[in-house]
Amino acid sequence: MNHLPTAVALVLAAALVASPLAARPAASHSAPVFHPRADSLPLSIAVQTGKTVYLSGMLGVAPDGRSLVPGGIEAETRRTMDLIGEDLKRLGLTYEDVVKCTVFLTDLKDLPAFTAVYASYFKPGRYPARSTLGVSSLIGGAKVEVECVAWKG
């Protein structure tokens, strides 16, 4: 009977046990931290899991909280990004900590105007990864919604 496969398996198992990977302690997992909204809407402003922070989608809501800012895609984008900045600041973060954005546009023809405003919030060469989706509608007739993921390292 050939015991070579068994011997190879034992040698590999011994090497793994002796490797630095085996000596590494298990990663600690902390419970998610929820950052609730001040109003009664059933969603959080953000949820942090480990060093990753997931921010909810943001619209260009006017200061009254009941309407969108007037002025079209540029104004809505600017307000959306400003509100994201306020949430980031409350969480001890900045735009430099944003690693991924998902953008929802009701008219993809607005993409160049959106991008011109959006890009001004980030340092050149430090733009987050981004996905852009065309959607049929957004809450309240908004033209744009942006959600972000940030790294709190």
Side-chain angles (χ1 to χ4, degrees), residues 53 55 81 84-85 88 93-102 118 121-122 126-129 146-152:
V53 180
L55 284 84
M81 296 304 293
I84 289 169
L88 289 168
L93 300 166
T94 70
Y95 292 106
E96 289 186 33
D97 299 307
V98 176
V99 296
K100 171 74 168 82
C101 292
T102 304
Y118 168 90
Y121 285 81
F122 301 100
R126 299 254 325 158
Y127 299 112
V146 179
E147 67 178 29
C148 299
V149 177
W151 177 255
K152 192 168 189 172

Side-chain angles (χ1 to χ4, degrees), residues 16 46 64 121:
L16 181 59
D64 68 10
Y121 285 81

Side-chain angles (χ1 to χ4, degrees), residues 3 15 33 38 45 60 67 76 88 94 100 103 110 124 136 149 152-153:
H3 294 288
V33 177
I45 292 168
S67 62
E76 273 191 53
L88 289 168
T94 70
K100 171 74 168 82
V103 178
D110 288 335
S136 62
V149 177
K152 192 168 189 172

Side-chain angles (χ1 to χ4, degrees), residues 54-135:
Y54 301 89
L55 284 84
S56 289
M58 184 62 70
L59 304 172
V61 179
D64 68 10
R66 294 183 299 241
S67 62
L68 297 169
V69 293
I73 189 66
E74 290 92 351
E76 273 191 53
T77 301
R78 193 168 293 104
R79 179 67 175 161
T80 298
M81 296 304 293
D82 288 346
L83 290 171
I84 289 169
E86 290 175 15
D87 285 345
L88 289 168
K89 186 176 181 179
R90 275 193 285 278
L91 297 166
L93 300 166
T94 70
Y95 292 106
E96 289 186 33
D97 299 307
V98 176
V99 296
K100 171 74 168 82
C101 292
T102 304
V103 178
F104 305 91
L105 293 172
T106 58
D107 189 343
L108 289 175
K109 291 177 187 169
D110 288 335
L111 184 57
F114 164 82
T115 299
V117 175
Y118 168 90
S120 70
Y121 285 81
F122 301 100
K123 289 182 179 179
R126 299 254 325 158
Y127 299 112
R130 186 176 97 186
S131 299
T132 303
L133 305 155
V135 297

Side-chain angles (χ1 to χ4, degrees), residues 1-19:
M1 185 188 292
N2 186 352
H3 294 288
L4 186 59
T6 304
V8 170
L10 289 172
V11 169
L12 289 175
L16 181 59
V17 168
S19 79

